[in-house]
Amino acid sequence: MPINKSAHPKGLRVLFFTEMWERFGYYLMLGILALYLMDPKGGMGLHRAEASDIVGTYLGLVYLTPFLGGLLADRLLGYRKSILIGGTLMGMGYLGLAIPGYTAMWSSLLLIIIGNGFFKPNISTLLGNLYSTEEFKGNKDAGYNLFYMGINIGAFICNFVAAYMRNAYGWGYAFAAAGIGMFIGLAWFLAGTKHIKEADIIKPANPNDIPVSKVLLFVFLPVIVVGALAWIAIPGNILGSDSTDAFIFGCIPVIIYYFTIWWKADKSDKQQISALLAVFVVVIVFWAVFKQNASALTFYAETHTDRSISPKVAPLAKPFGMIQELDSKVDSFPKYDAYFRPVMLNGHKQNVLSPDPYFQNLSKDKWPQEGQKLDLVSTEIFQSINPFFIVILTPVVISFFGFLKRKGKEPSTPAKIGWGLVITGLSTLVMVAAVLSTDITTEKTSAWWLIGTYAVVTIGELCLSPIGLSLVSKVSPPRLTSLMMGGWFLATSIGNKLSGVLASMWDKYDNKAWYFFVNFASCIVAALAIAMMLKWLRNIINQHS
């Protein structure tokens, strides 16, 4: 991966490949988690709504803990030590998922959630600190885009490894591969630490800042207490599930804490914090829609997408772990209705003797002959389409904005975020068209629809996600950078949880076009909110970046 040495600090290579391997493990696990939870043959055999709830809650919590990890790094641990702690916990968690059973699963997910809190905000902050000198300051956005491409190289490769390991050996081996990737990343980080140590600076606290001990006592402890009470004490649930109630109510003390930071800030800091908090609120919608690639789009790929592959191509694809083989022999499977909703009796799934459910809406002329197998693209491979487009399109987007900058027409950072939301909304319209193109209860749709929606959402993502990380690094008061990076991940966390809430409603829509249209409308409303704040945000950012 060529990086212009004169334009970027040496530490970029260290953080680029560390994050690449960390995201290899993270996205490998995420790409198969919902499939593992729903698999009745070797997995957990859960309902789609239950799997969505678990995935959404995990995604929410894994981006909620950076609030605490960023605070501890800012005040006590420093960034390098926090990254090493976080990476070790995550690697142990991935390896733990290879052990069957609920106890190992919940324990391992907890390790990953805590580990990500120490790792994620602090590697992003370290990168920003590398660009704090006048020599590199002007290339910070490009640096974050390159860093983001490293993330997506790891996310692209991992799904091929996941598919190969789970098809050839089983789910446990796939999860173990994620852990090995994480530890490779840590080894690389340790080998290159000399190039980043100058960016590992613990900034002095402001006299008005709340001490860490009080944050733990009056913020993080209330998160746990309020979340537990919302889970236990609320009769039934208010927001769709006990876990959603616990998560959303549990976030309230953290939100109050960020409001307190703003309230007590000096006048010079208050504008910067106001602008960042406003952006955080709006980008929740982006993450709620985007993160459905791990749930709703995975469901669509699994049951409604024609995943068959040409017999001429299949032998070439098999060594790369892309192929799932299915025969049409009868076995015991859960019984589904026309919309792939499990048929229940007295609260229990009904089983039926039938071919694999994949064949339910596949025309008979495409079934394999008796004794033969049908070669399919493994469902998790679709998770690699987005990172593939990231790797291909990142240089294009960087060049495009560079061209506009030379012409004096580059959009401001908040305008880029607004365009990112609009383009993300357009990606959901591609899925609306996919559903309307055929009767998905009797026929499968072409895989090109999913490829198309991933291509469009990738452009939206490149306009928003790496730019958002750069914005936090540039605009945050220096002593609060990692804490405000934690705020960005808090917004990501809430959006991720909402993605699970939306996906858990998948089975409630007979016409899936309406499901995707709701996502489109949400993105447009968020884009309009950014447009209304554009002038105010631009003025603040110009003053402080």
Side-chain angles (χ1 to χ4, degrees):
M1 154 88 205
I3 296 175
N4 186 333
K5 292 181 180 179
S6 62
H8 300 282
K10 290 180 179 179
L12 174 60
R13 286 181 182 271
V14 178
L15 300 183
F16 177 98
F17 286 107
T18 301
E19 183 75 347
M20 184 190 81
W21 279 109
E22 185 271 327
R23 291 289 97 176
F24 169 92
Y26 176 84
Y27 282 111
L28 189 158
M29 173 268 191
L30 184 60
I32 61 176
L33 181 58
L35 298 171
Y36 169 69
L37 293 172
M38 294 186 296
D39 183 13
K41 305 278 189 181
M44 292 297 194
L46 300 180
H47 296 287
R48 186 179 286 116
E50 291 177 287
S52 297
D53 189 48
I54 291 172
V55 171
T57 302
Y58 163 74
L59 281 170
L61 291 174
V62 85
Y63 279 96
L64 179 60
T65 50
F67 155 74
L68 181 60
L71 176 68
L72 292 175
D74 268 341
R75 306 278 185 86
L76 298 174
L77 297 174
Y79 304 125
R80 287 180 296 168
K81 190 179 295 184
S82 296
I83 288 167
L84 291 171
I85 293 170
T88 301
L89 292 175
M90 292 174 78
M92 291 168 59
Y94 297 139
L95 293 175
L97 285 172
I99 304 170
Y102 280 103
T103 301
M105 185 183 80
W106 296 126
S107 302
S108 299
L109 290 177
L110 180 61
L111 286 174
I112 298 166
I113 287 164
I114 295 171
N116 192 71
F118 282 100
F119 189 98
K120 191 64 179 169
N122 298 312
I123 195 167
S124 298
T125 301
L126 261 184
L127 180 66
N129 289 351
L130 288 172
Y131 285 87
S132 60
T133 64
E134 287 300 321
E135 180 184 2
F136 300 119
K137 187 176 180 181
N139 292 314
K140 181 174 280 192
D141 277 2
Y144 271 99
N145 274 112
L146 289 166
F147 179 71
Y148 205 70
M149 188 156 68
I151 290 173
N152 286 280
I153 291 173
F156 172 74
I157 296 169
C158 69
N159 295 297
F160 295 91
V161 176
Y164 177 79
M165 297 303 289
R166 74 109 164 177
N167 287 329
Y169 303 106
W171 293 110
Y173 287 88
F175 286 123
I180 292 170
M182 181 69 254
F183 286 114
I184 291 173
L186 286 180
W188 176 267
F189 182 78
L190 285 169
T193 190
K194 65 181 180 181
H195 296 302
I196 53 177
K197 62 182 180 181
E198 74 275 6
D200 189 4
I201 302 168
I202 298 178
K203 306 175 186 73
N206 188 293
N208 292 328
D209 289 342
I210 303 174
V212 172
S213 58
K214 287 190 175 181
V215 174
L216 294 174
L217 182 61
F218 296 114
V219 180
F220 217 72
L221 181 60
V223 167
I224 297 170
V225 173
V226 172
L229 287 174
W231 184 294
I232 297 167
I234 296 175
N237 56 72
I238 297 173
L239 302 171
S241 72
D242 290 335
S243 66
T244 302
D245 287 355
F247 181 87
I248 297 300
F249 283 104
C251 283
I252 292 174
V254 186
I255 294 170
I256 291 172
Y257 174 66
Y258 274 95
F259 177 79
T260 303
I261 291 173
W262 170 81
W263 183 260
K264 291 188 173 184
D266 298 335
K267 186 177 180 180
S268 59
D269 291 345
K270 187 166 283 191
Q271 272 195 331
Q272 296 158 265
I273 297 171
S274 298
L276 290 174
L277 293 180
V279 171
F280 294 167
V281 171
V282 173
V283 299
I284 286 172
V285 175
F286 168 77
W287 295 114
V289 174
F290 178 74
K291 282 300 181 179
Q292 289 176 53
N293 60 353
S295 49
L297 291 183
T298 295
F299 304 155
Y300 195 90
E302 175 82 352
T303 56
H304 297 298
T305 298
D306 185 353
R307 296 187 280 119
S308 59
I309 190 167
S310 164
K312 293 181 180 179
V313 178
L316 301 175
K318 281 182 182 178
F320 295 98
M322 293 177 60
I323 302 301
Q324 177 187 6
E325 295 179 329
L326 284 185
D327 57 40
S328 56
K329 69 180 180 182
V330 172
D331 200 348
S332 178
F333 290 100
K335 185 178 181 181
Y336 296 104
D337 67 10
Y339 297 97
F340 285 89
R341 295 177 293 212
V343 176
M344 310 293 290
L345 181 64
N346 297 324
H348 298 285
K349 285 183 180 180
Q350 297 301 294
N351 279 8
V352 65
L353 292 174
S354 70
D356 189 281
Y358 177 83
F359 294 103
Q360 181 171 305
N361 59 346
L362 185 70
S363 58
K364 284 272 190 178
D365 61 303
K366 294 183 178 180
W367 287 31
Q369 308 225 339
E370 188 174 345
Q372 295 183 342
K373 292 187 176 182
L374 181 64
D375 289 327
L376 305 176
V377 175
S378 290
T379 305
E380 56 265 57
I381 297 299
F382 286 91
Q383 296 285 315
S384 284
I385 298 172
N386 168 245
F388 168 77
F389 280 123
I390 288 282
V391 174
I392 296 299
L393 294 177
T394 291
V396 177
V397 172
I398 291 175
S399 298
F400 176 69
F401 284 131
F403 170 77
L404 292 180
K405 185 177 182 179
R406 291 191 296 273
K407 296 287 186 181
K409 296 180 179 180
E410 184 182 17
S412 63
T413 298
K416 290 177 184 176
I417 291 173
W419 278 112
L421 284 161
V422 171
I423 295 167
T424 300
L426 293 176
S427 75
T428 67
L429 290 186
V430 177
M431 293 309 300
V432 171
V435 174
L436 296 178
S437 69
T438 188
D439 179 358
I440 60 172
T441 65
T442 59
E443 290 186 52
K444 295 187 184 290
T445 58
S446 168
W448 286 106
W449 289 110
L450 271 177
I451 294 170
T453 199
Y454 278 122
V456 177
V457 80
T458 296
I459 299 172
E461 181 188 2
L462 283 171
C463 290
L464 190 149
S465 186
I467 299 302
L469 291 173
S470 179
L471 173 68
V472 176
S473 177
K474 287 190 291 188
V475 176
S476 295
R479 61 189 176 78
L480 296 175
T481 303
S482 224
L483 187 58
M484 296 311 293
M485 195 69 76
W488 171 265
F489 291 121
L490 172 63
T492 306
S493 168
I494 296 172
N496 286 351
K497 176 55 185 169
L498 292 178
S499 75
V501 173
L502 290 169
S504 68
M505 299 177 185
W506 177 262
D507 284 337
K508 296 181 180 180
Y509 288 83
D510 287 349
N511 186 343
K512 305 302 182 190
W514 282 108
Y515 176 90
F516 290 112
F517 193 77
V518 167
N519 289 323
F520 167 75
S522 301
C523 288
I524 297 306
V525 170
L528 289 173
I530 278 282
M532 292 171 65
M533 297 186 291
L534 194 59
K535 184 176 179 180
W536 171 68
L537 289 170
R538 190 167 52 224
N539 288 339
I540 293 173
I541 291 167
N542 288 342
Q543 288 177 40
H544 297 284
S545 61

